[in-house]
Amino acid sequence: MTILLLEDNRKAADDLARLIREWKPDVRIEGPLASLEATARWFATHPLPDLIFADIELSDGLSLTFFREQLPPVPIIFCTAYDRYALEAFESAGVDYLLKPVDPEKLTRSFGKIGLLHAIFAREEFEEKISRVIRQLTSPYRRTLVVHRRGRLIPLNVEEIRFAYTENDIVYLHTRDRRYEADSSMENLEADLDPHQFFRANRQFLIARDAIAEVHRGFARKLTVTLHIPTPVAVVISKAKASAFLKWMED
């Protein structure tokens, strides 16, 4: 576990670090960072910490200013000598607000809140994974296709497909770095794949939801879709299909 300290008073930082290590001896403590400038530099060059302890009044401004502008997805415990910033602190991802000098019992309760948050999010992630597996097991759509490559038959996981493209009556399946020949027509392929994950853009293309990078509006209310990997020709969606495609993207 990595904890970042934002504190411009060295003694206060040392006292807080000592209390933290009494709670969790093997924790890694980064900082203290005494200014907004140092904080911005640190976040630009380091991976996110697991938890932040932040004094509100740093040497060159309020840490609340930094968190309002660049809110990191990390829980923050604010430690300050003043109680007038409490409301703003909780609006800036603050999970607790401790007054200095920090009381060890209140610090322990703060860590309890962090543990509860981690448990809740871990449970939600686990439940989502279970739901995804159940959906896959009960889905009527294909999860694997048998495809051709260099004279061999290969099982291809449907989740790897970025788009299907038909040329000269042959359907090619493109993954991030390979192209395979499908033993199917585009119509049959469309029927075999989950319509929540794949959209028939036009006669030539069937595209995967996860492959879409951006969409541009063009002439005559047509849409041009850019994928994360190159396509042989532009993926254009007609005016007639544009509304259905945009609704599909939002589902």
Side-chain angles (χ1 to χ4, degrees), residues 46-67:
H46 292 76
L48 289 174
D50 299 295
L51 176 63
I52 299 170
F53 278 86
D55 186 13
I56 289 180
E57 295 188 350
L58 299 179
S59 62
D60 58 353
L62 302 180
S63 63
L64 291 170
T65 302
F66 176 84
F67 293 126

Side-chain angles (χ1 to χ4, degrees), residues 1 39 47 70 77-78 80 107 138 151 154 172 196 207 218 245:
M1 183 180 193
T39 300
Q70 305 182 46
I77 296 176
F78 288 97
T80 180
L107 179 63
T138 58
I154 301 172
Y172 297 99
H196 181 70
I207 58 177
F245 173 74

Side-chain angles (χ1 to χ4, degrees), residues 73 78 103 105 116 122 126 143 179 185 199-200 229 234 249:
F78 288 97
D103 183 287
E105 290 186 6
L116 179 60
F126 174 75
R143 288 182 291 157
R179 187 182 80 163
S185 67
F199 187 87
R200 183 71 180 271
I229 61 173
M249 284 188 66

Side-chain angles (χ1 to χ4, degrees), residues 17 118 127 141 189 192 208:
H118 281 301
E127 290 174 351
Y141 302 105
L189 181 65
D192 284 339

Side-chain angles (χ1 to χ4, degrees), residues 39-195:
T39 300
R41 285 200 307 269
W42 191 93
F43 274 97
T45 56
H46 292 76
L48 289 174
D50 299 295
L51 176 63
I52 299 170
F53 278 86
D55 186 13
I56 289 180
E57 295 188 350
L58 299 179
S59 62
D60 58 353
L62 302 180
S63 63
L64 291 170
T65 302
F66 176 84
F67 293 126
R68 275 197 299 266
E69 296 175 354
Q70 305 182 46
L71 182 61
V74 177
I76 305 167
I77 296 176
F78 288 97
C79 303
T80 180
Y82 311 99
D83 59 5
R84 62 178 179 269
Y85 298 113
L87 180 58
E88 287 184 80
F90 284 112
E91 291 175 346
S92 301
V95 297
D96 214 342
Y97 190 93
L98 302 177
L99 291 176
K100 297 177 183 177
V102 175
D103 183 287
E105 290 186 6
K106 291 183 178 179
L107 179 63
T108 299
R109 286 200 295 270
S110 294
F111 280 124
K113 290 182 181 180
I114 299 299
L116 179 60
L117 286 173
H118 281 301
I120 290 171
F121 288 124
R123 184 171 67 249
E124 289 179 349
E125 182 179 354
F126 174 75
E127 290 174 351
E128 171 57 28
K129 287 180 179 178
I130 291 296
S131 297
R132 187 162 60 247
V133 170
I134 291 173
R135 287 196 300 270
Q136 290 175 348
L137 291 175
T138 58
S139 172
Y141 302 105
R142 300 277 292 276
R143 288 182 291 157
T144 304
L145 297 174
V146 176
V147 297
H148 299 266
R149 181 172 171 80
R150 296 177 180 175
R152 295 176 297 158
L153 294 177
I154 301 172
L156 176 65
N157 190 326
V158 165
E159 292 182 355
E160 296 182 45
I161 299 172
R162 303 294 87 193
F163 68 89
Y165 173 73
T166 182
E167 183 179 21
N168 298 325
D169 295 326
I170 299 175
V171 176
Y172 297 99
L173 303 177
H174 291 250
T175 64
R176 292 186 185 278
D177 55 1
R178 297 283 178 87
R179 187 182 80 163
Y180 302 92
E181 184 178 327
D183 190 16
S184 174
S185 67
M186 187 67 92
E187 287 70 26
N188 289 339
L189 181 65
E190 182 182 6
D192 284 339
L193 299 181
D194 185 351

